[in-house]
Amino acid sequence: MPPRWVPSVTRLQARNLVRRESDPGDRRRKLLWLTPEGETLAQQLAGPAQRVQERLMAPLPPHEQALLKQLLARLAATPAKADGRIPPRLAAPDWPAPVQVHALCTARAGGHSRAP
């Protein structure tokens, strides 16, 4: 777990929403599990979270929504380094051309390009 996550996980644990255990295969790693209270809260928040996501995605046409979801899934699946940093380059043959990503970001920013 990246060190910057520890305070948030500690707060969730104090509210009895998650439990933290050492990984039996590697005691340096921690495993996180939702408690029954955490599962209940996650179920209660699923509907409101879906509505927020729909409002955020509404300005994008369906093909751009699909592209954004694909890009976010790729980022989420990218393993972080031990220090929590993401590798600087994601090499994949099906990665969209930079101009497509730039166009998507520019369109979302109201036609103005923003520096990362």
Side-chain angles (χ1 to χ4, degrees):
M1 171 176 7
R4 66 180 178 272
W5 291 9
V6 172
S8 296
V9 171
T10 299
R11 285 191 298 274
L12 292 170
Q13 193 173 13
R15 293 181 58 200
N16 197 34
L17 298 173
V18 299
R19 63 185 167 87
R20 187 176 2 193
E21 298 176 4
S22 293
D23 183 340
D26 182 352
R27 307 242 356 124
R28 297 170 295 176
R29 290 182 50 195
K30 300 295 181 192
L31 303 174
L32 295 176
W33 304 93
L34 284 176
T35 63
E37 293 85 352
E39 288 181 21
T40 298
L41 182 60
Q43 289 172 359
Q44 292 170 348
L45 294 176
Q50 179 65 33
R51 288 189 292 278
V52 168
Q53 180 177 331
E54 289 168 359
R55 280 198 317 264
L56 287 171
M57 299 289 271
L60 300 175
H63 71 279
E64 288 182 350
Q65 289 182 25
L67 175 61
L68 180 57
K69 288 176 184 178
Q70 176 188 4
L71 294 172
L72 293 173
R74 177 163 299 131
L75 288 174
T78 301
K81 294 182 179 180
D83 62 5
R85 292 182 301 146
I86 300 294
R89 174 152 168 74
L90 302 175
D94 60 335
W95 185 260
V99 93
Q100 291 173 311
V101 175
H102 175 74
L104 177 60
C105 293
T106 302
R108 188 68 181 115
H112 298 79
S113 179
R114 290 190 212 172

